[in-house]
């Protein structure tokens, strides 16, 4: 994995995290929190997709999709945990 692919995953994760924060307001972490959680999730899941899916999902499409899905999942997960601990 090259640095360009990782950057694409992180950016698409931040976009995915921000989008899910706007769509699911009850799980939003704020603008910056959504972007940070999304970026971290995008980087992690994007790397895992590249490792496990191998050549099935490769290139820019795999980087963008893996990053976005990772950003969405991690942002929602952190939002759910945040809501559970506040009650």
């Amino acid at each position: 994995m090259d640095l360009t692919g990782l950057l694409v995953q992180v950016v698409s994760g931040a976009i995915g995290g921000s989008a899910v924060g706007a769509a699911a307001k009850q799980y939003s972490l704020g603008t910056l929190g959504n972007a940070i959680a999304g970026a971290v999730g995008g980087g992690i899941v994007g790397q895992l997709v590249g490792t496990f899916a191998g050549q099935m999902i490769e290139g820019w499409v795999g980087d963008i999709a893996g990053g976005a899905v990772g950003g969405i999942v991690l942002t929602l997960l952190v939002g759910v945990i945040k809501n559970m601990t506040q009650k």
Side-chain angles (χ1 to χ4, degrees), residues 15-85:
I15 293 169
S18 296
V20 78
K25 299 257 186 231
Q26 68 270 23
Y27 302 123
S28 179
L29 305 170
T31 305
L32 186 61
N34 291 336
I36 291 172
V40 171
I44 293 171
V45 173
Q47 291 296 308
L48 291 175
V49 165
T51 301
F52 291 120
Q55 296 192 7
M56 223 171 24
I57 300 174
E58 193 174 298
W60 289 96
V61 174
D63 290 341
I64 293 170
V69 168
I72 290 168
V73 169
L74 188 64
T75 303
L76 281 177
L77 183 63
V78 172
V80 167
I81 291 170
K82 177 186 162 209
N83 284 348
M84 290 175 61
T85 58

